[in-house]
Amino acid sequence: DFMQDIKVPECKISEFLAFRRADVDESAIDYYGDVLSYRDLLQLASRIKKSLLAFGVRPDDQIVVFMESSPVFLALLFACEDLGVSIVCRDGTVPENIIAVHNSKAKLVFVSDTTSEELQSFLNISSGVTVIRVDMFSYHSMPVLPDYAKRTYEAARNHLKFGTSFEKFLEKGKDIK
């Protein structure tokens, strides 16, 4: 098996970038035409890390994520890796997702603004879980999306009204050093 000869570096993403001497202004992600640098992502990851701490998340905790791949999701991965927090990524059926949230014992659940109403109803009544609602385009422009995608996105996102907004989540961590 060719995979057994592959060595995976045992370091954090930020350590790897420093080792590689990557230009932090180099493009890290192109999200529907919005290009973000590693600097942008690492700055957002730093803010997320502080907010995770402010919400009581500690190393070896788990958080659950119901989000599409996006800059916010990538920055969340960076922040959790830095803290030693596990991310349980979910995209299954609603019953599977309910079991995953329960079994994770997560304090925080991150959901995109396109989360189904059925899952939203469950999360809304889950005790002990704080839901962080992420507008998938909160940091980026939507006009670069194809028209069909804009219509689908707008129709899906209008129903999500619960939880703490991502902006309020970030605000809670602003005083953490």
Side-chain angles (χ1 to χ4, degrees):
D1 184 33
F2 75 94
M3 292 297 287
Q4 68 190 128
D5 294 331
I6 295 177
K7 294 195 183 231
V8 177
E10 293 186 25
C11 63
K12 296 178 180 176
I13 293 169
S14 56
E15 293 167 343
F16 175 76
L17 291 173
F19 168 77
R20 189 177 154 250
R21 292 190 183 100
D23 178 0
V24 292
D25 293 316
E26 187 177 302
S27 172
I29 187 171
D30 182 334
Y31 190 67
Y32 295 104
D34 286 326
V35 179
L36 281 83
S37 68
Y38 285 103
R39 180 186 314 276
D40 297 331
L41 286 176
L42 292 171
Q43 286 173 346
L44 180 55
S46 176
R47 292 180 66 200
I48 290 171
K49 178 182 171 182
K50 291 174 183 178
S51 296
L52 289 169
L53 290 169
F55 272 86
V57 176
R58 298 294 178 256
D60 298 323
D61 282 353
Q62 291 187 338
I63 62 168
V64 179
V65 177
F66 296 94
M67 289 172 50
E68 297 87 348
S69 292
S70 68
V72 170
F73 177 73
L74 194 54
L76 182 60
L77 285 174
F78 284 17
C80 287
E81 178 192 48
D82 199 36
L83 278 176
V85 172
S86 298
I87 296 181
V88 179
C89 298
R90 296 300 308 164
D91 192 18
T93 65
V94 171
E96 291 170 337
N97 291 336
I98 289 170
I99 292 168
V101 169
H102 176 73
N103 289 344
S104 73
K105 298 183 179 25
K107 296 174 187 170
L108 294 177
V109 175
F110 288 79
V111 299
S112 75
D113 50 358
T114 57
T115 300
S116 76
E117 290 184 56
E118 187 178 6
L119 182 58
Q120 174 184 211
S121 295
F122 164 74
L123 293 173
N124 212 16
I125 61 170
S126 296
S127 61
V129 174
T130 300
V131 176
I132 308 299
R133 183 183 69 250
V134 180
D135 178 341
M136 297 307 290
F137 291 93
S138 58
Y139 292 93
H140 312 287
S141 60
M142 199 163 71
V144 295
L145 286 177
D147 286 340
Y148 74 88
K150 285 182 196 176
R151 286 191 301 275
T152 302
Y153 176 75
E154 285 301 326
R157 74 186 289 252
N158 288 333
H159 72 272
L160 193 62
K161 304 288 187 235
F162 75 106
T164 300
S165 72
F166 186 66
E167 291 72 23
K168 287 185 180 174
F169 165 77
L170 289 177
E171 189 68 24
K172 188 163 181 172
K174 73 177 172 73
D175 295 327
I176 303 287
K177 298 291 176 204

